[in-house]
Amino acid sequence: MIRGGDAYRSGHRRRAKQYGAAGSFDRWDVMLRFDRQKGRCHYCGEVLELVGRNKFQVDHFIPLSRGGANAMNNIVCACPGCNRAKGSKFPWDFRPARFDVGCGRDD
C-alpha cells in the first residue's frame, strides 16, 4: 500500500490546476499502474521501491507543462533518478530508444 498518498496527490492537483490540466487520479490508480508495470520503472526498467529514500515517484508521461492531463492514463511509475532527469521533457525526447520498433515497451 502506498502511504502518504494525499501528499503527492495534492502536489499533482496544485500543478494540474496551475496548468489547467483536466483529470484526476488516486492511490488506487497509482497501484494499478505499478502492477501493470510489474514494479519496474517505466523508463529504465529498474525495480521500484515501495518505501524508503528511493521510493518510486508518479510521473506524468506527457508533462502537465506540455499539455498533458492529470489523469490515470497519463501517469507512470518511475524511479527518482529517471523522474528528475526527465523533468518536463517529452518521453520520446528523454529516452528515444524506448520508442524504437520492437523495444518491448508494450510487453
Side-chain angles (χ1 to χ4, degrees):
M1 172 173 274
I2 298 175
R3 296 181 191 270
D6 292 332
Y8 72 74
R9 279 198 339 252
S10 64
H12 287 290
R13 277 195 211 126
R14 183 181 67 250
R15 286 184 37 245
K17 186 175 180 182
Q18 173 186 350
Y19 290 111
S24 67
F25 60 91
D26 60 24
R27 65 181 167 177
W28 307 113
D29 295 326
V30 173
M31 286 314 297
L32 285 171
R33 174 57 61 191
F34 185 89
D35 289 343
R36 178 179 250 173
Q37 291 178 215
K38 297 180 174 86
R40 297 192 169 270
C41 175
H42 181 77
Y43 302 108
C44 71
E46 178 181 317
V47 174
L48 297 171
E49 297 180 25
L50 287 170
V51 295
R53 197 165 158 226
N54 288 320
K55 179 182 173 195
F56 79 91
Q57 298 176 357
V58 175
D59 179 52
H60 289 92
F61 188 71
I62 305 298
L64 297 176
S65 63
R66 307 288 290 272
N70 191 44
M72 188 213 181
N73 64 354
N74 190 40
I75 63 169
V76 295
C77 299
C79 67
C82 284
N83 195 28
R84 279 191 302 274
K86 178 179 173 267
S88 63
K89 297 177 188 126
F90 285 117
W92 46 88
D93 293 332
F94 171 59
R95 295 264 170 150
R98 287 278 285 141
F99 295 88
D100 289 343
V101 174
C103 70
R105 73 176 179 274
D106 297 324
D107 292 347

